[in-house]
Structure formats: structure tokens, C-alpha cells
Amino acid sequence: MLRLRVALVNPPTTANFETQNALGLKSPPLGLAYLAATLEREGYRVSIIDATALGLSHSQTASKLKSMKPDVIGITSITPTISDAIQTVIESKAQVPGAVTVMGGCHITAMPLETMAACPSLDCGVIGEGETTLLELVRAVESGSGMEGIDGVVHRQERAGGAGRISVNRMRRLTPDLDSIPFPARHLLPLDRYTVLNERTVIGSIITSRGCPYNCIFCSSARFYGRVYRARSPGNVVDEVEELVQKYKLKFVEFIDDTMTVSRGRAESIAREIIRRRLDISWGFGSRVDLVTEDMLRLFKRAGCIMFYMGIESGSERIINALRKGISLDQVKSAIACAKKAKIETMGTFIIGSPWEAWDDVMRTIGFAKSCGIDYAQFTVMTPYPGTDAYEIARGEGLLEESDWAKFTTIRPVMHTRYLSREQLAKLVSDAYRSFY
């Protein structure tokens, strides 16, 4: 018996992601590739439409889906792309009315009821980590059973004469063994359409862990992946690195975990395993400044590491504390010094426009960015995403000025601070870039 046909969609994007556009960056939707791999392993017929990479419009995406005749259409969305995702659902449902439409991603995880209410064409949504939930959902569609017993799902309860109320099932327990999740189904992605600096290249992104045990007010990751840190084994991680090297001929990979080095021993074991297998690969990673040591970074360098991405956030200790970042500027300087000794380049990321931020705080941030020794800097504005404490603070204090989710791209201000207007914040971000570079 043929299993169901499932189409997973990264919707067209009309939001203006200025940073990505300036860098000529188009990255693969790794989350969809993980979902596809899980479904493929169970025998389902899966395809991925990366409409953004392919340059498809909403109507072209829907027409493509019509020709594929999928039984289930899964669409991913982050907050800035939610309007595009909803439009894709609407047009897809019109073209393939018999398909069950599903949405996943950070936005519906944070606002399940609101998202379902905004899109009557959407049948259900996956809340949080999606591999097991989507698999159970597809099985339910295949068997004709309901969704009431599936953890991690928001759906419309059936009622005689039409759809009933929207119901949110209980949260799903997080997958404890990440090694049990298959590698992303990269063969389903249009790998020749991804770009860096507008040059087409196969992009090798790897997630080695999920969950962040820290408590920053601006981060939406914990809402999606939880606060419990879960990590893949070093051997499993390096197996994927080796696949990228051998199958896709990559020379650079990026570990895109929120915080790769929560477990120092595991992170160092990954580096040692890369060295042991003699993999000819360069790589970058992101972590906290208080979770690296000079010895660790020297080992990383021997294993091919060339870039350390660090979240510094502010040059004002007052603002760092308000953000609940849990680091000090002395720790930042120490991590940068360790990286320099190891001959690893550094990129520091900074947020301008925290609710309590004044002009002097921003000046301290710009000054610190220029003096601390980082090689590259990225400046963004505080963007309070749904599901974060920053969002509740901005709403509660009347700081949030924008309701168009497409503008939540971290470049153009959507809120003011207690002391600075949106216009001032926009100028300060521009000034920060000009001053640093």
C-alpha cells in the first residue's frame, strides 16, 4: 500500500530581511529537512518546496502543490513570515481542498489560538519540536482518526454542521535522545539555489543540541525547544559532518546551536573526533562567552574552527543584567582574548533598544564593540517576539508600536524604549555600523 504523500513548504517571503539581503544569503530550511527525514524513514512520500529559494510566488507555490496532489501540506513560519505562510495556506487549500493543512514553527508555537483563528483554511498546527508530533499527525490522517489524542497539536474540533472550537492539546514531551532523529533530508532541498554573498553554494548547517538552560528575555528558542539542554553524541555529530564532506564536498560547516559548549566535554569530544577522522573541514560555532576556555579554543582550532559567534548584547553592564544575560563585560574580554590566542576570528552580536535603554547605554555599546577586540560585529534592534518576556514587557509598558509581523525582522525598530524613539533607534543602529566598520 502506498503511504500518504506529504509536501513540506517554506513559503514565499515578502518580508524585507535586510541583513540577509545585504549578505546575499539564502539558507536551507533545516527544520523542514528534519521533518522530511523522519517521515521518509517511516515510508511516507515526502517532498520539500522551498519557495523562497526557488523564487516562487504564493500562486506559483499553490499551483505546484496542485500538480503534486499531496494528502498533507505542512508549512513552516517564523514571526516575520507568518502573513506569507497564511497566504500560502489559503491559496494551497483552494488548489488542493482535500489536503490537510498543517503549520509549524516559532510563531504558531507562541500564538496557536491566534494563528488558527486568523486562518480558517488552516486545519491544524504543530506546537514546538515537530518530528514526532508531525509523524503522529500524518498517521492520524492516514488512519482517519482524530487529533484529540496527539500531544503538541492545535486543531479544530469537529462539530456537526461544521468546524467547532479551536483546541490546544497538551504539550509534547521533548525528544530525549537526539541521536534517534535522522539526519536532515538534504537530498529533498534545492541545494544549488542557496547563496552566500549572492554566490551559489551548498550551505552546511548542523544542529548538535537543542534547548537552552539560560533565561535571556529576548530569546524565543526556549519556548520552542525547551530549557532542558539535550545534545547529540559526538560520534553522531561528526558522522553528519563526514557526510557533508564526502557526499556534498563541503569545505565549511556551521554549528548553529544556540549554545554549543554547554557541555565542555562533549564539545571537545566533537573536535577530537573531527581530528581523529582527519576531516578536511573548516567550521564556525556559536556559544556564550562564559562557556569557553583557551584550551578548548586551541583544540577547536586544531579541528578546523575559524569563527566563534558570541552574543555580547550590550556594552552596558546595566543593560546586560536587565536582559538577564548572565555574563559580564570582563568575561567577554576574556573570551575574545582566548580566541585571539587560538587564532580564531570572532563575531559579536549586539542588541540596541532594550526597554530600559538610554542614549548613554547605546554609546557604551558602540564604544565597547570598537574596543573589545572582536573582528566583526552585528547590530540589531530589540525585537520582542511573541512568547518571549521581552514581548510581554513591551506590551505591558506600551512600548510596542508595530502590529505588522512582517516588520519584526530585527533591523527596523518596532518599539521604542523608555527613553528613545523608534527614529532614534534606527539612527543609532546605522551609526553603530558606520562607527565599527
Side-chain angles (χ1 to χ4, degrees):
M1 182 185 76
L2 283 177
R3 307 302 295 269
L4 294 187
R5 189 184 298 278
V6 181
L8 302 176
V9 182
N10 188 32
T13 301
T14 57
N16 184 12
F17 291 95
E18 291 175 302
T19 300
Q20 288 91 325
N21 293 339
L23 294 173
L25 181 64
K26 288 183 182 178
S27 301
L30 206 59
L32 289 186
Y34 268 116
L35 297 174
T38 300
L39 293 171
E40 274 197 327
R41 186 172 62 181
E42 298 299 315
Y44 292 103
R45 296 174 291 166
V46 189
S47 56
I48 296 177
I49 301 174
D50 189 347
T52 298
L54 296 172
L56 301 178
S57 65
H58 297 102
S59 60
Q60 288 171 330
T61 302
S63 295
K64 192 172 182 68
L65 286 166
K66 182 180 181 180
S67 68
M68 296 166 63
K69 299 182 174 63
D71 302 288
V72 177
I73 300 172
I75 297 170
T76 188
S77 178
I78 56 176
T79 292
T81 63
I82 187 62
S83 296
D84 289 309
I86 288 174
Q87 186 62 31
T88 302
V89 171
I90 292 170
E91 297 197 24
S92 299
K93 194 71 166 179
Q95 293 286 355
V96 196
V100 174
T101 52
V102 188
M103 187 181 292
C106 294
H107 191 84
I108 195 168
T109 293
M111 306 186 79
L113 296 175
E114 296 87 341
T115 305
M116 292 287 291
C119 185
S121 297
L122 181 61
D123 296 313
C124 55
V126 171
I127 299 174
E129 195 170 81
E131 287 88 1
T132 304
T133 302
L134 183 61
L135 177 59
E136 291 187 9
L137 191 154
V138 171
R139 284 173 176 165
V141 173
E142 187 174 47
S143 65
S145 57
M147 298 183 186
E148 288 77 9
I150 305 176
D151 292 348
V153 166
V154 56
H155 61 104
R156 302 181 193 279
Q157 290 189 330
E158 294 183 4
R159 291 285 187 273
R165 68 180 180 88
I166 299 167
S167 178
V168 180
N169 296 354
R170 69 180 183 180
M171 288 297 294
R172 176 172 297 281
R173 290 183 60 194
L174 297 167
T175 302
D177 179 15
L178 296 186
D179 284 5
S180 68
I181 301 174
F183 296 164
R186 292 182 172 90
H187 60 281
L188 297 179
L189 295 169
L191 295 176
D192 61 336
R193 300 301 292 267
Y194 300 113
T195 61
V196 177
L197 299 177
N198 290 316
E199 294 287 333
R200 292 192 177 184
T201 183
V202 179
I203 296 176
S205 302
I206 297 178
I207 300 172
T208 81
S209 63
R210 296 181 181 181
C212 183
Y214 298 95
N215 199 30
C216 305
I217 71 166
F218 52 83
C219 182
S220 59
S221 177
R223 182 71 175 262
F224 194 81
Y225 284 131
R227 294 201 182 280
V228 177
Y229 182 74
R230 296 162 294 138
R232 296 165 58 186
S233 67
N236 181 264
V237 171
V238 182
D239 284 346
E240 186 174 355
V241 174
E242 191 165 17
E243 178 181 90
L244 290 175
V245 171
Q246 294 183 350
K247 184 176 180 179
Y248 297 103
K249 311 303 179 188
L250 290 192
K251 294 295 184 181
F252 178 81
V253 298
E254 185 174 354
F255 296 116
I256 59 173
D257 309 34
D258 292 316
T259 312
M260 182 184 172
T261 62
V262 169
S263 168
R264 174 179 174 178
R266 186 195 76 106
E268 292 180 347
S269 293
I270 290 171
R272 290 192 184 96
E273 186 65 11
I274 291 173
I275 294 169
R276 189 188 70 80
R277 298 192 196 186
R278 298 181 180 179
L279 297 178
D280 182 16
I281 192 74
S282 298
W283 50 277
F285 78 102
S287 193
R288 291 170 57 93
V289 297
D290 56 344
L291 294 178
V292 296
T293 66
E294 183 179 338
D295 288 344
M296 174 194 288
L297 294 178
R298 288 186 184 276
L299 175 61
F300 282 11
K301 180 64 177 182
R302 285 173 48 213
C305 180
I306 61 173
M307 180 64 73
F308 172 16
Y309 307 96
M310 57 180 70
I312 301 171
E313 319 313 351
S314 179
S316 164
E317 296 272 13
R318 182 179 77 87
I319 296 301
I320 287 176
N321 293 335
L323 294 174
R324 300 203 299 262
K325 182 71 180 180
I327 62 171
S328 69
L329 294 179
D330 284 342
Q331 288 174 318
V332 174
K333 294 174 186 175
S334 175
I336 295 168
C338 290
K340 285 189 179 299
K341 291 176 183 177
K343 295 182 171 54
I344 294 174
E345 289 192 307
T346 52
M347 171 177 277
T349 59
F350 299 88
I351 297 173
I352 291 174
S354 301
W356 316 272
E357 196 152 21
W359 186 274
D360 287 348
D361 296 304
V362 181
M363 292 301 103
R364 289 189 184 95
T365 293
I366 296 172
F368 185 79
K370 293 167 63 178
S371 66
C372 67
I374 53 173
D375 298 291
Y376 308 98
Q378 180 185 59
F379 301 94
T380 60
V381 290
M382 170 62 75
T383 304
Y385 288 116
T388 65
D389 289 343
Y391 181 73
E392 297 305 322
I393 293 167
R395 286 185 63 197
E397 295 197 15
L399 305 176
L400 190 60
E401 296 186 31
E402 186 58 68
S403 59
D404 181 358
W405 298 122
K407 295 181 179 177
F408 281 58
T409 61
T410 76
I411 296 300
R412 300 293 181 186
V414 296
M415 59 176 280
H416 60 272
T417 79
R418 292 176 181 175
Y419 310 105
L420 298 168
S421 68
R422 290 172 73 182
E423 292 73 23
Q424 287 173 309
L425 291 173
K427 183 179 185 301
L428 285 167
V429 171
S430 178
D431 288 347
Y433 273 112
R434 281 199 299 268
S435 182
F436 185 88
Y437 289 105

